[in-house]
Amino acid sequence: ITCFVVWIALGYGMASLQIFARTGFRAEQAARHYHGGLTAEEREIYTPPTFETLLSVSHVHTFSQPVMLGLMGLLFALTYVSEAAKVLLILLSFVGSLVSNATPWLIRYISPHWTFLLPLSNLLMMGSFFVMAGVILYDVWRNPEEEE
């Protein structure tokens, strides 16, 4: 269990590095990446991803994220926390994933103003993921005899 949780967390870290390399975690760069545009200072034209590119990325993420979050949610459901906390964190992770996968489409085809959803959805998904990971690891490694 520990290896799985740590490995998934490392994968999440790599995804975060990729996002940083692409956008610098800045809304205007994310909007430019997904919506395209011209920058006056750089005098460069940024072309948005094609429909096929968005579809390819969305396909991978809408398949892999539910698998990752589902497995984490299953392990989390077996921990000591309350049922309400379990439901809330698992639900938030999936809502974050859904919004995170829909936002590039909204930015590309509707408006770059939807960019604000990227950090919010990633915060939901990443925050709930790491809380679940922490609880799972704590539950696996804690010594029940010390708690008595």
Side-chain angles (χ1 to χ4, degrees):
I1 291 175
T2 300
C3 292
F4 172 77
V5 172
V6 169
W7 199 255
I8 293 289
L10 286 172
Y12 218 127
M14 295 302 285
S16 296
L17 283 174
Q18 181 185 24
I19 292 168
F20 179 76
R22 183 178 300 139
T23 67
F25 295 134
R26 295 191 0 234
E28 64 273 5
Q29 284 188 309
R32 185 180 346 155
H33 174 75
Y34 289 112
H35 193 72
L38 174 67
T39 60
E41 65 278 355
E42 298 170 359
R43 297 178 188 223
E44 288 187 60
I45 297 174
Y46 288 87
T47 56
T50 63
F51 175 84
E52 290 80 11
T53 299
L54 274 179
L55 188 61
S56 178
V57 171
S58 294
H59 167 261
V60 169
H61 286 89
T62 55
F63 180 75
S64 63
Q65 286 176 352
V67 170
M68 174 189 74
L69 295 171
L71 290 171
M72 288 296 289
L74 178 63
L75 291 173
F76 184 66
L78 300 174
T79 64
Y80 65 92
V81 299
S82 71
E83 294 302 312
K86 291 174 184 177
V87 169
L88 179 66
L89 283 167
I90 293 169
L91 184 62
L92 287 177
S93 70
F94 278 93
V95 168
S97 176
L98 175 68
V99 174
S100 177
N101 285 300
T103 302
W105 292 90
L106 294 171
I107 295 168
R108 171 68 176 93
Y109 291 107
I110 296 178
S111 169
H113 297 294
W114 289 104
T115 305
F116 78 94
L117 288 175
L118 285 174
L120 293 176
S121 62
N122 286 317
L123 180 65
L124 278 178
M125 188 169 48
M126 188 179 298
S128 57
F129 171 86
F130 281 109
V131 169
M132 288 190 291
V135 169
I136 292 165
L137 291 175
Y138 174 78
D139 206 39
V140 166
W141 288 96
R142 71 187 169 107
N143 186 350
E145 293 174 4
E146 290 177 4
E147 295 179 9
E148 292 177 4

